[in-house]
Amino acid sequence: MSASEPHETGPPAVPASAAPEAEAPVTTASEAPIATQFLAPDETFDDNDSAIGEDSLSSTASIASSIFKFRVENGRTYNGYGDRTYFMPNDEIERDRLDLQHHLFQLMFGGKIFTAPIDRTKLHRVLDVGTGTGIWAIDMGDAYPEAEVYGVDVSPIQPQFTPPNVKFEIDDLEKPWTFSEGFDFIFSRMITGSFANWKEYIFRCFEFTNPGGYLELQDICLPIHCDDDTLKGTNLEKYGELLLEGSVKLGLALNSALTTKKLMEEAGFVDVVEVIYKWPLNRWPANKHMKEIGLWAHEVTISNLSGLSIALFTHGLGWRIEELEVFLADVRKDMKNSRIHSYWPIYIVHGRKPAVAKE
């Protein structure tokens, strides 16, 4: 748990919608890894000197015992709550990956855990949707002891010992919400693929956000991107396209972040800001800070590459597990190749509910 308080303000980031058109590649861009920033590759980087490894990184008492009976498939466990199953596993490998991912977001934000301009004096109730291991909710509870923080997920994989102001609940928020009160801040991170109807989810967030409160969504967007031609024709390019195709066929498109800003504005949020960051898939950038982000993004991706892929490829695309593992071996090679300048686009969008409702 983090003892430090997340900063509510920081170095200004450039909204994607307001980014100037670049006349030529800029190699002296700021440390902020926004998508409008040109990332120069490190031409001297040697993969043999890399610290990047292979795929090796390794509720409460009232919850019915049936919730803990996880479904097992292809040697991985998945949530057994309700009438649907999230495509990502919930076993120890995935829990470790989620905690690594939390560190990566803090690294990207310079220690912060959210970007919305929250007024601390007005922060009383916080909701973390898709809390996972609960690490974000716990850090939030530590930093804001005067606020009640609720973490909700379909899998009971959160720790039993938490700050007194943090509570975890097992629920499926794709179904009608039953909260008796609204929230001053609703937050979700990396839950693309969790909701079949993102418009319904965002409109529901607006309904349960208190006047003057904020919603912030942080999510990845497929497919894998590249600003030059080094990704073209690679297994990695094919992997990103197939991953997206599988998710679309399952009705859980992993490019939902493309419409987040528009849907938030339609729901009624104002001052909506969208910033698109880059997570290089290895240490190919010349920029030192981005090289470190690339190291962590590589580990976050490759440490559970099979878990990320199995359901989408077997259920969505009809692949056999043996066929998938052979393909993933080639994908891992491309992910480690510093000559391939690939990255994940990461969309950060926040908006405020007006203090006075519109007529």
Side-chain angles (χ1 to χ4, degrees):
M1 292 185 290
S2 171
S4 60
E5 175 181 329
H7 306 294
E8 289 143 352
T9 59
V14 179
S17 60
E21 295 183 2
E23 298 179 356
V26 180
T27 58
T28 58
S30 71
E31 296 283 62
I34 56 175
T36 51
Q37 176 182 10
F38 174 77
L39 295 183
D42 184 354
E43 304 293 353
T44 65
F45 182 62
D46 183 357
D47 286 330
N48 294 324
D49 295 333
S50 169
I52 295 176
E54 293 298 326
D55 191 355
S56 59
L57 285 186
S58 340
S59 268
T60 65
S62 64
I63 298 174
S65 60
S66 61
I67 293 177
F68 292 89
K69 294 180 180 178
F70 301 146
R71 185 172 63 86
V72 179
E73 183 177 304
N74 295 311
R76 308 301 296 269
T77 63
Y78 297 80
N79 73 281
Y81 178 77
D83 54 6
R84 71 184 182 95
T85 299
Y86 180 47
F87 77 94
M88 288 294 289
N90 62 3
D91 49 24
E92 185 176 357
I93 297 174
E94 173 60 8
R95 294 196 294 269
D96 289 344
R97 189 195 71 83
L98 289 174
D99 289 346
L100 284 174
Q101 182 176 267
H102 179 69
H103 173 81
L104 177 54
F105 271 98
Q106 287 182 299
L107 181 64
M108 184 170 74
F109 295 143
K112 298 185 295 181
I113 60 174
F114 63 85
T115 65
I118 303 293
D119 183 346
R120 184 180 192 123
T121 64
K122 299 179 181 179
L123 190 65
H124 308 294
R125 284 172 56 84
V126 178
L127 175 62
D128 179 18
V129 179
T131 192
T133 63
I135 191 170
W136 185 92
I138 291 172
D139 275 6
M140 192 70 181
D142 278 341
Y144 294 85
E146 67 277 12
E148 292 180 310
V149 181
Y150 295 85
V152 180
D153 204 282
V154 292
S155 284
I157 57 174
Q158 302 77 36
Q160 293 182 339
F161 301 101
T162 65
N165 61 324
V166 177
K167 298 178 178 64
F168 293 119
E169 299 178 5
I170 305 305
D171 201 359
D172 183 355
L173 294 186
E174 197 167 33
K175 298 177 180 178
W177 293 12
T178 59
F179 302 110
S180 59
E181 298 179 61
F183 298 91
D184 305 303
F185 184 32
I186 298 180
F187 175 86
S188 66
R189 182 173 68 187
M190 296 301 232
I191 64 168
T192 186
S194 300
F195 294 93
N197 190 329
W198 270 84
K199 180 175 182 178
E200 182 179 87
Y201 168 61
I202 290 175
F203 273 61
R204 194 166 285 165
C205 286
F206 183 82
E207 177 186 353
F208 281 84
T209 300
N210 292 329
Y214 280 84
L215 169 66
E216 179 163 333
L217 307 177
Q218 304 179 356
D219 240 314
I220 197 168
C221 188
L222 268 64
I224 296 169
H225 282 221
C226 181
D227 294 335
D228 54 29
D229 62 356
T230 57
L231 181 64
K232 189 174 182 179
T234 65
N235 286 299
L236 183 57
E237 180 186 43
K238 182 180 179 181
Y239 172 75
E241 293 171 348
L242 289 172
L243 207 62
L244 177 57
E245 180 184 344
S247 71
V248 170
K249 288 186 175 180
L250 291 177
L252 301 168
L254 295 179
N255 62 353
S256 58
L258 292 174
T259 59
T260 298
K261 183 176 186 290
K262 177 176 178 290
L263 290 176
M264 285 180 62
E265 291 171 339
E266 288 180 1
F269 288 100
V270 297
D271 301 331
V272 181
V273 176
E274 176 186 80
V275 181
I276 307 171
Y277 291 75
K278 293 179 179 180
W279 280 2
L281 275 170
N282 60 50
R283 300 198 299 168
W284 64 261
N287 179 280
K288 183 178 179 180
H289 179 62
M290 292 305 299
K291 191 184 291 291
E292 185 179 6
I293 287 179
L295 169 64
W296 282 91
H298 179 93
E299 296 294 358
V300 163
T301 304
I302 211 168
S303 63
N304 195 10
L305 189 64
S306 293
L308 173 65
S309 312
I310 289 176
L312 298 178
F313 275 79
T314 59
H315 295 296
L317 301 175
W319 285 41
R320 293 178 293 107
I321 189 68
E322 297 81 8
E323 179 184 12
L324 173 61
E325 289 301 339
V326 171
F327 177 57
L328 291 184
D330 292 328
V331 172
R332 290 183 180 93
K333 293 178 183 177
D334 284 351
M335 283 189 177
K336 190 177 180 180
N337 187 349
S338 62
R339 293 185 294 275
I340 299 176
H341 306 147
S342 58
Y343 63 87
W344 291 116
I346 305 295
Y347 283 64
I348 311 299
V349 189
H350 63 72
R352 177 176 55 84
K353 183 173 182 175
V356 179
K358 295 182 179 179
E359 294 293 335

